[in-house]
Amino acid sequence: MALFLLFILAALILAYLGGEAIAWSLLLTIGILLYSLIDPSPLGLLLLWAGYIAAITLLNFPDLRRQYLTTRIFGWVSRVLPGLSDTEKEAIAAGTVSWDGELFSGKPNWHHLLNMPKPELSDAEVAFINGPVNELCTQLDDWEITHERYDLPPEIWQFIKDNGFFGMIVPKKYGGLELSALAHSTAVMKIATRSITAAVTVMVPNSLGPSELLMHYGTQKQRDYYLPRLAKGEEIPCFALTGPQAGSDAGAIPDTGIVCKGEWEGKEVIGLRLNWNKRYITLAPVATVLGLAFKVYDPDKLLSDVVDRGVTCALIPTSTPGVQTGARHLPLNTVFMNGPTWGKDVFIPLDYLIGGEDFIGKGWMMLMNCLAVGRAISLPALATGAGKLSSLTSGAYARIREQFGLPIGYFEGVKEALAPIGGLSYIMDSARCMTAGLLDQGEKPSVPSAILKYHNTEKMRKVVGHAMDIHAGRGVIKGPRNYIARVYQAIPISITVEGANILTRSLMIFGQGSIRSHPYLLKEMEAAQMEDREKGLQEFDHVFFKHIHRNVQLVGRSLMLGLTGSLIAEVPEHHPLSKRYFQHLSRFAAAFALLSDVTLMSLGGDLKRREKISARLGDCLSYLYLASSVLKRFHDDGCPREDAPLLDWAVQHCLYNTQQALHETLKNYPSPILAILMRLVIFPLGRNMEPANDITEDAIADLLLHPSAARDRLVEGVYRSTQPDDPIGRVENAFLLKIAAESAEKALKKAIKAGKLDEGLTLDEQLQQAREKNILTESESQKVRDAAEAVDDAIQVDHFHPDELPVTQSD
């Protein structure tokens, strides 16, 4: 028995280390020789040696393996692997694989993560953020925009155009700013803390706007003409994809372009007759140029022998006869320009197709590649801005607002709400920065962009909800003083656009990641679909047995790391505050990769219909990615000890949610037997991850309640003001004055409690007494008075005379 246990231990260690075929052959040889000496039973030896010979053959003789084993597996895999539609294939092929691939490997290279360049702004980009972006924020009056004008003022539109906000991503040679992804994200984030309407107006032309499409796929003539005009704001673009019958289902686009002959500029040319009906199109009411996605059909075969040519994109001046735009939707009173567009029998020349005739049918590929970039920037930045705004103002308000003689932020219930505001904002910003850094390294991280879009907007929902709880009536009553209500109203917009969150979670993150980010699955699928079956078999055999080798290692890693509490996991040169987190993430990465493979093999194509399982596995991948970004951010910042509460809360939140997602997957697994086996491997000692404790939560609350370098790092990039006539500046000014008067206020309260001052007097009378009795100096007394006046102003809410309220508009 002891030798048997020793053999099992050796096998586990070899699996954990990823032993190659020769090592396994040696171990099996030693094992069978020892067994032959201990138990020379003829029948047992015969069976064991037969198994040994088969195993050695499979490990070391690929030709025999292919002939007797791989051929059968190859046929089975061809049947069970999920089939992919053309749009799914294009979505999977879009973008690049980056850190998501490391996580899917089950053995992430933490050195690689920490050695990625720290995302940083250039001097010119810092000047743009601190100059035009900050100036724009200063000029924005969100109450005027959303309540009175239902639009940005003309001078703001002009400022945006004059300062290149519509050309942030356009190369300098075309007159654009050519900002990095990080700078683009930072600009959107800062504007969003001032006005969601302005942020959306600026971000859409720089996302799928269609500058991105032109830069990558436009003809040189199209780039030369449009990019300078877009950069200067001479053209205002929109892009129309979503329609009443086709939202997330791109294959259901009913809008058509029929190849035909028509008259254009006095000549008969080959072009397209378009019919479309789109809605929810941002900037459509004011757009001068319309990006459009539709399906091309060539019934007369004027261009080729293929009739159904597929999804295609065009860029059409809105002045083109038949183009209809101008009506407005009202998206929850954020009032950015948004509306429908439609056209009937609109003829356009082939020159209007983005990329020209060569790119007919490649529209979905173009959109997915560009969306892999834009989806990682716009909404994640907007959501992070909401988190930073909530962190800044909720901490300040909780410090200045008093109940029962204490700041409300000192109450445990409020601290419990402040902690996730700070912790989730730290996660959002970490993920935003790391993913922007990947973009600036030339990656197009399609899976991380889906993770960011879903999780940042969902965390925005939670953070702003907590902020509203803390502000209570101060956040509910709308008016010029309110800085949080419009953000709260805008949450559903972020949740539903650029891929509705329900579908992003249940279909996209794991559905796309399991094929795109997996080290072997896509290669196996491609091999299984090769027309040359012999070549496909050889390629499949090579990849499949690498896949098997990886899964053996994942079993060993998951079990060994689970049994040892992750203590044996390899970590990079580490800071003591982060070492254990790297180790735990290594364990969960192995568990996730193993469970993913078992699920893919057991469910095959049926996984596409098992959306809850896909969603939970997507949660695992997401939280591993988010935790990785937090660790990178902490190390990029120099491992500041004062940020430790944020690090602890954020990573513990991610680890706990990863554990819960694994648990929920196994609890609802279609195969109970596989679930039991997987649970023994993944959770050999049970589930032991817990969310952050009260001590950590209180530390984050204290960080938000007091000025510090850590607080400044957390809210960096938010629009900040201390002007008492500014919505944000009013509460920040009161906060700083309250902190400055803290010691004097304590002395005053102590004197009142000791009976040295009369409790029933007004504040001014108490301060006079305090000066007369040398309890406070004149300077200290003035600090208390200034703080009291600022606080009284900051906690006030707006009220309106009936004549001031519009009777024809519902707000």
Side-chain angles (χ1 to χ4, degrees):
M1 178 59 73
L3 285 175
F4 175 74
L5 292 176
L6 187 62
F7 178 81
I8 295 298
L9 179 60
L12 278 174
I13 293 173
L14 188 57
Y16 178 85
L17 296 174
E20 298 296 335
I22 189 170
W24 281 105
S25 299
L26 181 61
L27 179 63
L28 289 173
T29 302
I30 293 171
I32 195 167
L33 289 174
L34 288 174
Y35 184 82
S36 299
L37 293 174
I38 295 169
D39 184 7
S41 165
L43 181 58
L45 286 177
L46 180 63
L47 294 173
L48 200 61
W49 276 92
Y52 167 77
I53 292 170
I56 293 297
T57 301
L58 292 175
L59 285 170
N60 298 284
F61 299 95
D63 290 340
L64 291 174
R65 181 177 68 215
R66 280 196 295 271
Q67 182 177 352
Y68 292 104
L69 180 63
T70 310
T71 301
R72 292 169 175 78
I73 297 174
F74 185 60
W76 173 76
V77 167
S78 299
R79 293 191 301 272
V80 302
L81 280 177
L84 299 175
S85 66
D86 290 340
T87 53
E88 287 175 320
K89 289 177 182 177
E90 289 174 339
I92 288 168
T96 58
V97 177
S98 53
W99 185 247
D100 48 313
E102 288 283 344
L103 296 172
F104 253 102
S105 76
K107 192 179 179 183
N109 185 336
W110 300 116
H111 295 281
H112 175 63
L113 176 74
L114 298 184
N115 289 332
M116 289 180 190
K118 178 183 178 180
E120 291 185 295
L121 302 175
S122 69
D123 291 342
E125 290 170 339
V126 171
F128 177 70
I129 301 297
N130 293 337
V133 174
N134 202 66
E135 187 177 349
L136 173 62
C137 290
T138 303
Q139 294 178 19
L140 292 168
D141 182 338
D142 199 49
W143 179 250
E144 177 192 7
I145 292 166
T146 58
H147 182 75
E148 297 172 4
R149 288 184 175 274
Y150 276 63
D151 189 11
L152 298 173
E155 60 271 20
I156 296 296
W157 277 104
Q158 197 59 49
F159 184 89
I160 288 171
K161 294 175 181 179
D162 292 344
N163 287 274
F165 282 90
F166 286 159
M168 289 193 292
I169 67 169
V170 175
K172 291 180 180 178
K173 67 179 181 179
Y174 293 110
L177 299 177
E178 200 173 342
L179 297 185
S180 66
L182 180 65
H184 176 194
S185 170
T186 302
V188 171
M189 179 181 71
K190 188 167 193 174
I191 298 167
T193 65
R194 190 62 163 170
S195 168
I196 297 294
T197 299
V200 173
T201 301
V202 165
M203 77 189 193
V204 166
N206 293 284
S207 180
L208 202 59
S211 294
E212 185 86 16
L213 288 167
L214 286 170
M215 287 160 53
H216 292 287
Y217 305 108
T219 64
Q220 190 60 53
K221 182 179 179 181
Q222 289 170 340
R223 290 196 292 267
D224 289 342
Y225 178 78
Y226 276 115
L227 288 178
R229 297 171 65 83
L230 289 167
K232 296 175 184 176
E234 293 174 3
E235 301 277 7
I236 298 179
C238 68
F239 195 91
L241 175 62
T242 304
Q245 304 298 326
S248 300
D249 183 4
I253 291 178
D255 312 290
T256 60
I258 306 299
V259 179
C260 63
K261 294 181 179 180
E263 186 176 331
W264 188 257
E265 296 180 347
K267 298 179 181 179
E268 185 179 70
V269 299
I270 295 177
L272 295 103
R273 186 175 67 253
L274 303 178
N275 287 276
W276 74 91
N277 182 18
K278 307 284 190 177
R279 64 181 179 186
Y280 310 146
I281 310 306
T282 299
L283 296 184
V286 293
T288 60
V289 60
L290 168 69
L292 187 67
F294 52 91
K295 287 183 177 178
V296 170
Y297 297 93
D298 188 2
D300 296 328
K301 299 183 180 180
L302 296 176
L303 299 178
S304 74
D305 290 334
V306 180
V307 174
D308 185 349
R309 299 293 300 273
V311 177
T312 303
C313 298
L315 197 57
I316 308 165
T318 55
S319 59
T320 303
V323 175
Q324 301 291 317
T325 59
R328 287 187 63 181
H329 303 310
L330 287 179
L332 290 176
N333 292 117
T334 48
V335 308
F336 56 85
M337 286 293 170
N338 187 275
T341 175
W342 63 95
K344 183 173 176 57
D345 294 333
V346 177
F347 183 80
I348 63 168
L350 295 178
D351 289 347
Y352 281 11
L353 300 179
I354 297 177
E357 184 181 340
D358 291 343
F359 279 83
I360 292 176
K362 297 180 180 180
W364 195 240
M365 174 275 294
M366 295 158 61
L367 293 170
M368 289 299 99
N369 274 298
C370 291
L371 198 58
V373 175
R375 189 163 48 196
I377 295 176
S378 299
L379 290 172
L382 187 149
T384 305
K388 288 177 179 282
L389 176 65
S390 297
S391 298
L392 179 78
T393 58
S394 298
Y397 185 76
R399 179 62 184 82
I400 67 173
R401 182 75 169 94
E402 295 188 356
Q403 293 279 276
F404 310 108
L406 284 174
I408 62 172
Y410 291 0
F411 290 93
E412 289 190 351
V414 176
K415 285 186 176 183
E416 193 174 21
L418 284 170
I421 290 176
L424 293 175
S425 296
Y426 191 71
I427 292 173
M428 287 192 283
D429 198 33
S430 300
R432 177 189 74 88
C433 290
M434 185 173 96
T435 310
L438 292 173
L439 291 168
D440 287 328
Q441 293 172 50
E443 300 283 358
K444 291 185 178 181
S446 54
V447 175
S449 73
I451 291 172
L452 249 68
K453 192 278 168 180
Y454 173 77
H455 282 276
N456 274 29
T457 56
E458 287 294 334
K459 285 166 178 50
M460 171 189 180
R461 190 201 306 245
K462 293 179 181 178
V463 165
V464 177
H466 285 305
M468 291 294 285
D469 286 347
I470 291 169
H471 283 82
R474 177 69 174 81
V476 169
I477 304 303
K478 292 190 298 185
R481 291 171 171 268
N482 196 317
Y483 42 74
I484 199 73
R486 291 303 192 210
V487 179
Y488 181 77
Q489 282 184 296
I491 290 171
I493 301 171
S494 299
I495 297 296
T496 57
V497 302
E498 288 189 9
N501 276 11
I502 290 175
L503 294 180
T504 300
R505 175 176 178 258
S506 61
L507 293 177
M508 292 183 61
I509 295 174
F510 184 75
Q512 187 174 1
S514 61
I515 300 174
R516 190 73 181 95
S517 308
H518 194 286
Y520 302 117
L521 186 58
L522 183 58
K523 295 176 183 177
E524 290 168 342
M525 295 175 72
E526 290 172 344
Q529 295 170 1
M530 282 186 179
E531 292 184 8
D532 186 338
R533 301 301 289 172
E534 183 60 32
K535 183 178 180 181
L537 177 62
Q538 291 182 2
E539 180 65 23
F540 179 82
D541 176 80
H542 175 72
V543 175
F544 181 74
F545 279 90
K546 278 189 173 184
H547 192 165
I548 293 298
H549 174 264
R550 166 184 175 270
N551 282 355
V552 171
Q553 184 179 24
L554 290 176
V555 171
R557 285 183 62 80
S558 297
L559 188 54
M560 293 288 284
L561 291 173
L563 289 170
T564 61
S566 308
L567 288 170
I568 62 172
E570 313 88 1
V571 294
E573 292 183 12
H574 55 268
H575 190 278
L577 292 176
S578 60
K579 174 183 177 181
R580 290 294 288 147
Y581 295 141
F582 281 114
Q583 291 177 324
H584 289 313
L585 285 172
S586 291
R587 172 196 164 197
F588 279 136
F592 160 71
L594 177 62
L595 185 57
S596 296
D597 269 15
V598 171
T599 303
L600 287 164
M601 285 190 292
S602 61
L603 293 180
D606 193 44
L607 182 60
K608 291 171 69 174
R609 293 175 290 278
R610 299 278 188 160
E611 294 174 22
K612 291 182 180 179
I613 289 179
S614 180
R616 290 164 184 146
L617 290 172
D619 290 343
C620 295
L621 176 61
S622 297
Y623 280 108
L624 290 170
Y625 183 86
L626 296 174
S628 301
S629 72
V630 168
L631 287 168
K632 174 164 175 57
R633 189 253 182 79
F634 183 71
H635 280 255
D636 282 348
D637 286 348
C639 303
R641 181 164 290 276
E642 55 269 32
D643 289 5
L646 294 168
L647 170 74
D648 292 338
W649 192 99
V651 180
Q652 288 169 28
H653 174 83
C654 292
L655 287 170
Y656 176 74
N657 280 284
T658 303
Q659 172 187 266
Q660 291 306 105
L662 289 168
H663 167 65
E664 290 295 326
T665 302
L666 293 172
K667 187 173 74 172
N668 296 281
Y669 216 61
S671 170
I673 295 176
L674 273 178
I676 292 171
L677 292 174
M678 285 294 97
R679 192 174 291 278
L680 288 173
V681 173
I682 293 172
F683 298 121
L685 301 180
R687 289 173 283 136
N688 49 23
M689 293 297 159
E690 297 290 342
N693 59 26
D694 290 350
I695 295 173
T696 303
E697 286 192 342
D698 290 351
I700 292 180
D702 290 341
L703 185 151
L704 296 181
L705 291 166
H706 299 92
S708 67
R711 180 177 185 260
D712 288 342
R713 277 191 294 272
L714 178 63
V715 302
E716 184 180 4
V718 72
Y719 173 75
R720 298 182 78 168
S721 170
T722 56
Q723 297 301 313
D725 60 347
D726 180 89
I728 297 173
R730 187 175 284 115
V731 70
E732 184 72 358
N733 176 59
F735 169 71
L736 295 176
L737 291 175
K738 190 75 171 175
I739 295 296
E742 187 171 19
S743 60
E745 285 186 342
K746 286 182 179 178
L748 187 67
K749 289 179 179 179
K750 183 177 179 181
I752 293 172
K753 187 174 182 180
K756 296 179 181 180
L757 300 176
D758 295 335
E759 186 173 359
L761 299 178
T762 65
L763 177 62
D764 281 342
E765 291 170 338
Q766 288 174 340
L767 290 174
Q768 184 177 348
Q769 274 193 355
R771 290 194 301 273
E772 292 171 352
K773 296 182 178 183
N774 294 322
I775 296 171
L776 295 179
T777 65
E778 181 67 36
S779 174
E780 291 171 329
S781 176
Q782 188 62 46
K783 285 182 179 179
V784 173
R785 180 181 292 105
D786 290 344
E789 291 176 353
V791 168
D792 183 65
D793 182 51
I795 65 175
Q796 297 300 320
V797 297
D798 296 287
H799 54 97
F800 301 94
H801 189 275
D803 292 345
E804 298 177 273
L805 298 174
V807 295
T808 59
Q809 297 175 347
S810 175
D811 203 350

